[in-house]
Every structure is written in C-alpha cells, then in structure tokens.
Amino acid sequence: MDALSINLYDERKRGEIEALQWAFARKLLGLGLTVILEWGTWARSERDQLRLQARELGAAVELHYLFAPVDVLLQRIQHRRRENPPILRDALEHWCEIFQVPSPEEMALYDRSLSLDMSSPHPNGEVK
C-alpha cells in the first residue's frame, strides 16, 4: 500500500488489495504451490474462512501465531519507522484488545501449529 501511495488506514482499499492477494493465492494453491498470508486476520471468523477455502483446494493449512507484549510491539514499530502517520501506543493497545487470540481448540483445526512467546528479550538483550 505504501508503494502505491495508498493510505495505510484506508480499510476499503486494504480490503480490495487483500481480496486480490487471496484470489491470486487461491490460484497458486490450486497449482499445488505454497502460499503465506501475512496480513492481519484478527478475528477467528476471518481465519476460519481462509482455512476452509484453502482446504477446499486440497491445501494443507498452518497457523503460526506469535505473541509479543505491547511494549515489544511498540518498540519494533518505532524502530522500523515505516508508518506515516506513526502508530501511537493508544491505538496499538486498542488493536491488541480487539484481536482474537487463537484458542487451543482453533489451533487444533490446522495441520501444524507453532506458538512462540516473544516476550523475552534476545540473550544479548536485544528484542528481535
């Protein structure tokens, strides 16, 4: 979106772009290729829809969920300096409140799952 000069907060455009990406991803899955979706699927209903559609194409489906506390997320966002306007702590806290963390029951619906706790700093003190 940034490369196309589209406002990152334009939800309508974001939805259109994700729909195009998913249409292309389904074509690739139909060819037996691997696809990684890395946009935010904040609600279980969104994840269920993608999982079921991928399964209809015969694809294996994995869900990789990484936990990081707000402080770590904010530090990473500030370090990369990519968002304009900058993401503020209040917004990040709100988004964390509305995000639906995958439950163990949901994770069991996927072929393989991986859950990493990223709340601890790297051994050399850096937060990666």
Side-chain angles (χ1 to χ4, degrees):
M1 291 179 71
D2 190 43
L4 297 172
S5 298
I6 298 172
N7 183 321
L8 296 175
Y9 298 97
D10 186 332
E11 293 300 319
R12 185 181 63 78
K13 283 292 185 194
R14 180 179 297 277
E16 291 173 1
I17 289 170
E18 289 177 1
L20 286 171
Q21 290 174 325
W22 181 232
F24 184 60
R26 285 193 315 269
K27 288 180 183 179
L28 295 174
L29 290 172
L31 295 171
L33 298 171
T34 299
V35 172
I36 298 172
L37 298 181
E38 198 178 9
W39 68 67
T41 51
W42 292 26
R44 177 171 176 174
S45 61
E46 295 172 276
R47 296 187 294 267
D48 285 345
Q49 181 180 5
L50 294 169
R51 177 178 44 78
L52 293 171
Q53 288 179 16
R55 291 249 194 256
E56 288 173 5
L57 296 168
V61 184
E62 300 175 22
L63 177 63
H64 296 258
Y65 167 67
L66 304 174
F67 169 78
V70 172
D71 289 336
V72 172
L73 295 172
L74 188 59
Q75 181 181 5
R76 291 175 183 174
I77 289 167
Q78 291 172 339
H79 179 74
R80 73 178 177 220
R81 299 176 196 220
R82 299 266 315 171
E83 287 75 22
N84 186 16
I87 294 174
L88 302 177
R89 182 180 192 86
D90 289 347
L92 188 58
E93 287 174 348
H94 172 70
W95 296 332
C96 287
E97 288 172 9
I98 62 175
F99 175 75
Q100 295 176 347
V101 174
S103 67
E105 294 79 18
E106 180 184 359
M107 294 298 288
L109 299 171
Y110 292 85
D111 292 303
R112 289 185 312 184
S113 62
L114 175 67
S115 178
L116 299 175
D117 182 346
M118 302 297 287
S119 61
S120 300
H122 191 270
N124 69 5
E126 292 180 24
V127 177
K128 297 279 182 182

